[in-house]
Amino acid sequence: MSSLTYADAGVDIDKANALVDNIKKIAKQTRRQGVMGDIGGFGGLFSLNLSDLKNPVLVSSTDGVGTKLKIAFMAGRHDTVGIDLVAMCVNDIAVQGAKPLFFLDYMAVGKLNTEIATQVITGIGEGCKQAKCALIGGETAEMPGFYKDNEYDLAGFTVGIVESDAIIDGSNIHVGDAIIGIASSGLHSNGFSLVRKICFDVLKLKIDDHIDDLGKTLAEELLTPTIIYSETVHSLLKLFPIHGIAHITGGGLAENVVRVLPQACVATIRKGSWDVPPVFSFLQKAGKVEDREMTRTFNNGIGLVVVVPAKKADDAMASIRAVGEKPFLIGEITPRKADEPQVQLV
């Protein structure tokens, strides 16, 4: 028997090294003040400039893209899920007032396809540019036999920073505050197990089918990337007191807004007060999904909720429009009765 190599076992080190060269080029496009060194070291280096902060607090988040990746595999399109990956992490720290500093990714594959991996990491780079954070490192793990050909899993990790007395934790929310919803771009990165059940098991659709109700192909709709809200949040923070922010991910409005509410408050949200993208009515009708299930599975058109003093609501909405996002006045904070649910859609 001839001498065996790691490549014979399914791990191609030369391919991995070529991918690192591609990643270095992408990472350079996201470089910001504080980054030290280049991709390829054992750890990513970032120098903190704390001269403008009295009591800095680091805020971190890690997340993935979930089964939305299955849609990318089916469509053979991998350039948007990296944006989703960044969005799911940086949006979660933005709601606490933190500005993202840097990002790292983990990509696991069965057999490395350099073209696919480069597409994914190009998307990650684009997400980092949108969030104004640096891609400073990551890991691409080749694990033969663990994943199907041309399939992979993703995880992301971000660290941000905020002044201690500027942390947004919902404790300043009080009765009378206005609730502003900022539009999502569609499904974002949640509910895709149900989406796939409806589209492929119930409707028997193919990924490239054109859907008249949506005005586009199924792949185009389902792979629309998650909006990155971190810069929108920080533009608002410079102008207005923000009492609370919720990133509307899995669990929808009901299970995410409650995470920032004081016990004595109820978020009263008016159904019909915002534009619902057609993909949600399409899925609800096709899957005969009950209203309650829709509200606890999908964002239903609201990707971020911001709670502000009522007298600042109009100005805040004008500022949100000025940065290119779409706001809606969707409700208000009301007093809570004993054991009353804290989020009510009326």
Side-chain angles (χ1 to χ4, degrees):
M1 186 178 77
S2 59
S3 176
L4 291 175
T5 66
Y6 209 4
D8 293 326
V11 179
D12 193 324
I13 295 174
D14 292 331
K15 266 190 183 180
N17 289 337
L19 177 62
V20 170
D21 289 336
N22 291 340
I23 295 171
K24 286 180 179 179
K25 296 173 187 174
I26 295 166
K28 281 182 179 178
Q29 298 172 24
T30 72
R31 196 176 182 93
R32 55 160 292 169
Q33 185 178 4
V35 175
M36 300 174 64
D38 294 317
I39 295 285
F42 287 101
L45 300 175
F46 192 95
S47 175
L48 285 174
N49 178 6
L50 305 178
S51 59
D52 295 330
L53 297 171
K54 294 179 180 178
N55 294 296
V57 175
L58 294 178
V59 185
S60 61
S61 178
T62 186
D63 211 336
V65 181
T67 61
K68 187 172 186 176
L69 292 178
K70 285 283 190 181
I71 308 300
F73 305 157
M74 295 171 73
R77 180 183 171 187
H78 309 276
D79 58 339
T80 63
V81 290
I83 300 174
D84 289 303
L85 185 67
V86 177
M88 297 304 288
C89 295
V90 300
N91 286 346
D92 275 356
I93 67 169
V95 301
Q96 293 177 285
K99 197 166 185 64
L101 298 172
F102 56 82
F103 188 86
L104 299 100
D105 68 275
Y106 172 82
M107 182 176 184
V109 301
K111 183 177 182 181
L112 181 61
N113 181 313
T114 306
E115 181 180 351
I116 289 175
T118 300
Q119 285 185 43
V120 172
I121 296 162
T122 298
I124 292 171
E126 173 59 27
C128 287
K129 285 189 281 186
Q130 290 182 26
K132 296 189 178 177
C133 68
L135 176 61
I136 66 167
E139 167 73 359
T140 303
E142 194 170 15
M143 300 188 289
F146 210 84
Y147 297 93
K148 296 178 182 177
D149 286 350
N150 298 330
E151 293 192 0
Y152 50 85
D153 197 10
L154 293 176
F157 178 82
T158 193
V159 171
I161 195 165
V162 62
E163 186 72 78
S164 177
D165 61 7
I167 294 172
I168 301 170
D169 59 6
S171 59
N172 290 326
I173 293 175
H174 58 260
V175 171
D177 282 349
I179 303 173
I180 296 171
I182 303 180
S184 69
S185 57
L187 291 162
H188 283 186
S189 299
N190 300 102
F192 274 84
S193 294
L194 180 56
V195 169
R196 292 185 298 113
K197 181 80 174 175
I198 293 169
C199 291
F200 305 121
D201 295 349
V202 175
L203 296 179
K204 308 295 184 184
L205 293 171
K206 293 184 172 57
I207 193 65
D208 291 322
D209 284 350
H210 187 276
I211 310 300
D212 291 341
D213 288 352
L214 306 178
K216 59 184 74 171
T217 67
L218 191 60
E220 288 170 336
E221 179 63 54
L222 301 187
L223 288 175
T224 300
T226 305
I227 293 175
I228 292 174
Y229 295 106
S230 57
E231 283 299 293
T232 299
V233 168
H234 288 286
S235 68
L236 287 175
L237 285 172
K238 294 174 184 176
L239 300 171
F240 308 102
I242 296 180
H243 290 171
I245 314 176
H247 183 202
I248 309 306
T249 55
L253 284 166
E255 295 184 21
N256 285 289
V257 175
V258 72
R259 295 164 70 177
V260 300
L261 290 177
Q263 287 294 315
C265 294
V266 170
T268 300
I269 297 173
R270 295 185 297 275
K271 291 186 283 188
S273 59
W274 68 90
D275 297 337
V276 179
V279 65
F280 296 105
S281 55
F282 169 76
L283 290 169
Q284 183 170 22
K285 181 180 178 182
K288 299 179 181 177
V289 184
E290 294 182 356
D291 287 348
R292 182 174 181 275
E293 190 67 19
M294 290 294 295
T295 59
R296 64 197 296 261
T297 303
F298 302 116
N299 68 62
N300 292 289
I302 297 295
L304 200 77
V305 163
V306 181
V307 181
V308 300
K311 63 183 180 181
K312 296 291 186 181
D314 289 342
D315 289 340
M317 290 177 65
S319 295
I320 293 167
R321 292 189 196 98
V323 296
E325 301 297 347
K326 200 177 204 179
F328 303 93
L329 186 62
I330 65 171
E332 54 276 327
I333 301 298
T334 56
R336 185 187 184 200
K337 299 174 184 177
D339 299 324
E340 184 180 23
Q342 283 195 275
V343 178
Q344 297 191 23
L345 277 71
V346 299

